């Protein structure tokens, strides 16, 4: 990803991407991927961008501070929630590391926040299905859970709206596509598989 896609830093959503909802312990399914990102890009170039911790909804950034202590990963402070907040992200990494958004990779489980945020500004995007289900997912925001299910079905489904959205996705400045640098780790077939990751577009 660094050599073939020009990526210099990785941004992760937190809940259901790195941890169970509202927990500060890295989920076992995410630990190896996170460690690989840290080893590849350096700990200072890996950060969390949450729509709760580190925002105006987090008084004194107490949640952000607790996450940083527990997970040893920086949490980006930002007033504008995803799919906004580009300036805060760029300021966090600094121009000595990131000179344009295409050098960033955004990883998350929400299409209409994480992936739209990255795609709006030309980042490489990696969509993951939620880490948790059943009892493990009991703390998940109920409204967010419903919206996530709807947006996945609407944007992945083979219907005119879903196809239109995917066609309008901007190409990444460096990433040439799956044949040159595959970013699909596990393909999904009608939602039966457990996880899919893909960069550069919402499908």
């Amino acid at each position: 990803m660094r050599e073939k896609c020009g990526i210099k830093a990785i941004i992760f959503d937190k809940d259901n991407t790195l941890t169970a909802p509202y927990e500060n312990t890295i989920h076992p399914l995410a630990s190896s991927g996170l460690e690989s990102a840290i080893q590849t890009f350096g700990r200072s170039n890996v950060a969390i961008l949450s729509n709760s911790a580190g925002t105006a909804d987090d008084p004194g950034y107490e949640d952000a501070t607790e996450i940083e202590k527990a997970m040893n990963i920086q949490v980006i402070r930002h007033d504008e929630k995803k799919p906004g907040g580009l300036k805060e992200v760029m300021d966090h990494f600094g121009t000595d590391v990131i000179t344009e958004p295409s050098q960033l990779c955004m990883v998350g489980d929400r299409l209409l926040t994480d992936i739209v945020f990255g795609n709006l500004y030309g980042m490489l995007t990696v969509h993951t299905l939620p880490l948790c289900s059943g009892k493990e997912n009991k703390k998940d925001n109920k409204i967010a859970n419903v919206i996530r299910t709807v947006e996945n079905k609407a944007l992945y489904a083979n219907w005119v709206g879903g196809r239109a959205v995917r066609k309008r996705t901007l190409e990444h400045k460096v990433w040439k596509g799956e044949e040159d640098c595959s970013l699909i780790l596990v393909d999904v077939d009608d939602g039966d598989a457990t996880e899919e990751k893909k960069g550069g577009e919402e499908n």
Side-chain angles (χ1 to χ4, degrees), residues 6-27:
I7 301 302
K8 296 183 177 181
I10 306 287
I11 311 162
F12 287 96
D13 177 48
K14 176 184 170 291
D15 293 334
N16 256 325
T17 299
L18 291 178
T19 71
Y22 302 102
E23 297 288 342
N24 291 345
T25 302
I26 298 170
H27 194 282

Side-chain angles (χ1 to χ4, degrees), residues 116 154-155 159-170 202:
V116 167
L155 296 179
W159 69 293
V160 63
R163 292 195 298 271
V165 169
R166 294 193 291 272
K167 284 182 179 179
R168 293 175 64 182
T169 298
L170 297 175
E202 294 175 354

Side-chain angles (χ1 to χ4, degrees), residues 76-175:
I76 298 173
R77 274 57 166 173
H78 58 113
D79 292 332
E80 189 178 3
K81 294 185 177 184
K82 295 172 288 187
L86 177 66
K87 182 181 184 305
E88 289 98 329
V89 169
M90 298 295 286
D91 289 346
H92 172 83
F93 290 108
T95 55
D96 56 328
V97 177
I98 301 298
T99 57
E100 56 182 85
S102 66
Q103 296 169 331
L104 294 166
C105 177
M106 178 72 219
V107 183
D109 67 307
R110 291 290 309 280
L111 287 170
L112 294 182
T113 55
D114 306 319
I115 305 307
V116 167
F117 166 69
N119 285 351
L120 278 174
Y121 301 109
M123 300 177 193
L124 192 70
T125 55
V126 177
H127 178 235
T128 66
L129 296 182
L131 282 174
C132 305
S133 60
K135 292 182 179 180
E136 196 177 31
N137 207 36
K138 63 183 179 180
K139 292 184 180 179
D140 194 17
N141 183 294
K142 304 304 180 191
I143 296 175
N145 190 26
V146 171
I147 294 174
R148 181 193 300 115
T149 301
V150 171
E151 66 191 25
N152 283 350
K153 289 183 177 179
L155 296 179
Y156 279 142
N158 187 27
W159 69 293
V160 63
R163 292 195 298 271
V165 169
R166 294 193 291 272
K167 284 182 179 179
R168 293 175 64 182
T169 298
L170 297 175
E171 292 185 0
H172 186 258
K173 186 174 182 178
V174 178
W175 184 65

